[in-house]
Amino acid sequence: MTEAFNQLDDALLDNLKHLLGSTGWKSGAEATRHFEDPRGRFEGKASLIVMPETTEQVSETVKMCNTARVAIVPFSGGTGVVAGQLSPTSDNAIVLSLERMNKIRDVLLDDSVLVAEAGCILENIHHAAAEHDLMFPLSMASKGSCCIGGNLATNAGGIQVVRHGNARDLCLGVEAVLPDGTIYSDLSPLRKNNTGYDLRHLLIGSEGTLGIITAATLLLKPVDPETTTVLCALKSPAAALALFKNVRKHLGESISALELMSGFGIDLVRSHFPALIAPFSEEHDWFLLLEASGPLGIGERLEAALEQSIEAGLLVDAVIAQSDTQRQNLWDLRENTPEANRLAGAFCNSDTSVPISQVHGFIETTETMLAEIHPDLRINTYGHIGDGNIHHNVLPPEGIPKKDFITSHPEIVDAVRMSINIATAQYQGSISAEHGIGRLKPQDLEMFANPGKLDSLRNIKRAFDPHNVMNPGVIVP
């Protein structure tokens, strides 16, 4: 498809500025944050940042750009790590930021839903739900800055997928502006609606290539009376999966989080965040951060399951959080991992999912392949093991800065990425579990996806967006 990066003329810019008013647009130095990549690999460009305040303003903006064949790059919280929110190759684009569309429109308690605009920060949605003694289960390390529109556009995962599902599983309806400016509004809290193609699910995960989500009806759930958090020391990822299977027999679906971490990874986090307390006096190769939530007594049931698991040889040791402070310390070891990787100079950050039964083999195979590329590469492997989502973060050898290593060994950077992709395909996995394709992975998608799927993706894109104005270059090369 031809990318819609037509030259912007003064008339279009003037019309957009008039539509949005003096506070609805910015450019130049004021727009710096809209051009930043969280991992420092890309630099965005655009002629204008527009910040509509209503769905109608989004619609009019899209109509103007579609008529002029000018590309629109939707921008939510800016926390995406595959460059889907950036235009790195051309400044003949409009960045459409949803930051001013940040209202909670409604809370329907009898339907257990909340209607939020796309620019609502995820943590603010948590607070709004908590005011009614309810919870919105989607959560991740970037909750204080990511926005629900971007969460849905990328079908974000996070730390509670094992119990509550991905973003799409927590959304009952969406409002969106389609590429020709049409407003698609279906915010009904219906649980059942089998009337043809489900456009909600097509828009969720489309990364702004089929339309711009402007609001969503989100599913709320009761707050569990009791939550228990435990960090388990293990010998291997295989032991983590065996422990998960055994604890699940005792607790059923009460396991709300299951995070695999390596000993190297925890040491890396503590080296950059020294205030965090070491959970064990002895060193261990692998850890599993497990959290269970449910009715009163769930903690006692979890302790009993852990004792039985120790007797069965499934874990070496365990630390159970005895206070909110201890619980937060355990979670900080996990949630500071992405920042520790960045500070340590990780040059590859993978986002793979494989069948849960294949996690251990996938990790072993990948580590073997990477060691053959360069024996001194450091690998921080962690992830949401309960849903098979494993992140390999590859760092240069000790003492070599990232920039120097990339400059000296560009072939190694490419070989590492490709080896992880090959191992992913070998274990029937996905090259993008929760981050999306963005502008980082379209070529990888073309290489590893089923040809029938690729043809379908292209056909859907053409049907929705024949002029390719909506986030061109994302997903479909």
Side-chain angles (χ1 to χ4, degrees):
M1 299 181 69
T2 302
E3 291 193 2
F5 282 114
N6 283 1
Q7 184 75 37
L8 278 81
D9 59 36
D10 291 338
L12 174 61
L13 294 175
D14 289 343
N15 287 338
L16 287 171
K17 292 175 182 179
H18 178 74
L19 169 70
L20 300 169
S22 60
T23 59
W25 63 274
K26 55 187 172 182
S27 61
E30 295 179 320
T32 302
R33 83 172 189 92
H34 296 89
F35 302 144
E36 295 174 346
D37 171 31
R39 290 180 175 168
R41 296 159 302 179
F42 300 91
E43 183 177 353
K45 302 176 182 179
S47 289
L48 191 71
I49 311 298
V50 297
M51 301 174 294
E53 199 169 17
T54 67
T55 302
E56 289 71 25
Q57 287 184 343
V58 176
S59 173
E60 290 302 315
T61 299
V62 172
K63 284 179 185 177
M64 290 183 193
C65 291
N66 186 57
T67 299
R69 307 293 189 263
V70 167
I72 302 170
V73 180
F75 189 97
S76 186
T79 60
V81 295
V82 291
Q85 74 277 25
L86 301 174
S87 170
T89 59
S90 174
D91 57 8
N92 290 318
I94 298 293
V95 170
L96 193 152
S97 173
L98 294 154
E99 61 197 80
R100 293 206 302 165
M101 293 187 64
N102 56 13
K103 303 178 185 66
I104 303 292
R105 290 187 185 175
D106 208 351
V107 179
L108 305 174
L109 296 179
D110 288 343
D111 290 304
S112 295
V113 298
L114 176 153
V115 181
E117 292 184 335
C120 282
I121 292 173
L122 179 57
E123 194 167 42
N124 292 344
I125 293 175
H126 293 169
H127 293 325
E131 291 177 1
H132 301 278
D133 296 321
L134 294 167
M135 64 175 289
F136 179 59
L138 185 68
S139 187
M140 58 204 70
S142 60
K143 61 187 177 184
S145 52
C146 66
C147 297
I148 193 62
N151 297 148
L152 291 169
T154 57
N155 188 29
I159 60 176
Q160 298 199 83
V161 172
V162 66
R163 181 178 179 187
H164 298 290
N166 292 310
R168 73 167 67 251
D169 301 303
L170 298 167
C171 178
L172 295 180
V174 297
E175 174 189 88
V177 174
L178 303 181
D180 65 352
T182 299
I183 297 174
Y184 169 75
S185 183
D186 189 3
L187 293 172
S188 170
L190 287 174
R191 262 66 170 178
K192 289 183 175 181
N193 182 3
N194 197 11
T195 54
Y197 304 126
D198 196 328
L199 299 184
R200 166 191 48 151
H201 282 307
L202 197 56
L203 289 163
I204 295 173
S206 67
E207 301 183 52
T209 61
L210 304 180
I212 299 173
I213 295 173
T214 52
T217 301
L218 306 173
L219 186 62
L220 303 181
K221 297 189 178 185
V223 177
D224 291 306
E226 185 175 319
T227 296
T228 300
T229 306
V230 57
L231 185 66
C232 303
L234 308 157
K235 294 180 179 179
S236 68
L241 291 169
L243 177 62
F244 173 38
K245 186 176 180 180
N246 192 56
V247 172
R248 197 176 186 185
K249 290 180 181 177
H250 292 77
L251 302 185
E253 299 304 317
S254 296
I255 299 173
S256 53
L258 205 69
E259 298 293 308
L260 179 72
M261 299 181 286
S262 66
F264 169 71
I266 283 187
D267 289 343
L268 188 71
V269 171
R270 293 193 64 244
S271 71
H272 292 282
F273 299 91
L276 296 179
I277 300 169
F280 297 95
S281 57
E282 298 179 357
E283 293 186 356
H284 299 281
D285 291 334
W286 292 95
F287 299 91
L288 184 68
L289 181 60
L290 189 156
E291 191 162 89
S293 301
L296 295 176
I298 196 72
E300 294 177 2
R301 290 169 57 193
L302 177 56
E303 289 188 43
L306 292 173
E307 290 176 4
Q308 192 270 335
S309 298
I310 290 175
E311 293 171 0
L314 299 180
L315 73 154
V316 179
D317 201 355
V319 170
I320 299 175
Q322 300 298 318
S323 66
D324 288 342
T325 299
Q326 290 180 6
R327 175 183 181 272
Q328 191 59 54
N329 183 79
L330 295 180
W331 271 110
D332 285 345
L333 291 170
R334 167 61 182 87
E335 296 206 325
N336 283 312
T337 299
E339 179 63 9
N341 289 326
R342 188 189 68 81
L343 293 171
F347 64 83
C348 179
N349 313 85
S350 75
D351 176 35
T352 293
S353 63
V354 296
I356 296 172
S357 61
Q358 304 298 313
V359 166
H360 182 71
F362 168 69
I363 291 174
E364 281 195 335
T365 297
T366 308
E367 290 181 343
T368 298
M369 293 173 73
L370 297 185
E372 291 173 353
I373 295 172
H374 193 299
D376 296 325
L377 292 175
R378 295 173 295 157
I379 308 167
N380 184 13
T381 295
Y382 66 97
H384 321 293
I385 195 170
D387 53 50
N389 183 188
I390 300 299
H391 302 289
H392 287 305
N393 292 263
V394 187
L395 294 79
E398 185 71 45
I400 301 179
K402 172 183 174 180
K403 184 177 181 180
D404 293 347
F405 186 77
I406 291 175
T407 301
S408 302
H409 302 285
E411 76 286 353
I412 289 181
V413 176
D414 290 337
V416 164
R417 178 182 58 82
M418 190 54 62
S419 293
I420 295 174
N421 286 343
I422 291 170
T424 299
Q426 179 181 333
Y427 285 91
Q428 295 81 52
S430 166
I431 62 169
S432 177
E434 61 179 355
H435 293 163
I437 297 298
R439 290 183 173 80
L440 183 67
K441 298 182 180 181
Q443 285 71 34
D444 291 350
L445 179 66
E446 198 162 22
M447 186 178 299
F448 289 97
N450 176 276
K453 176 174 182 173
L454 285 173
D455 286 343
S456 296
L457 291 176
R458 293 188 184 101
N459 290 335
I460 291 169
K461 172 68 171 173
R462 289 190 187 101
F464 269 72
D465 187 16
H467 302 307
N468 198 23
V469 299
M470 200 62 71
N471 223 4
V474 168
I475 302 181
V476 181

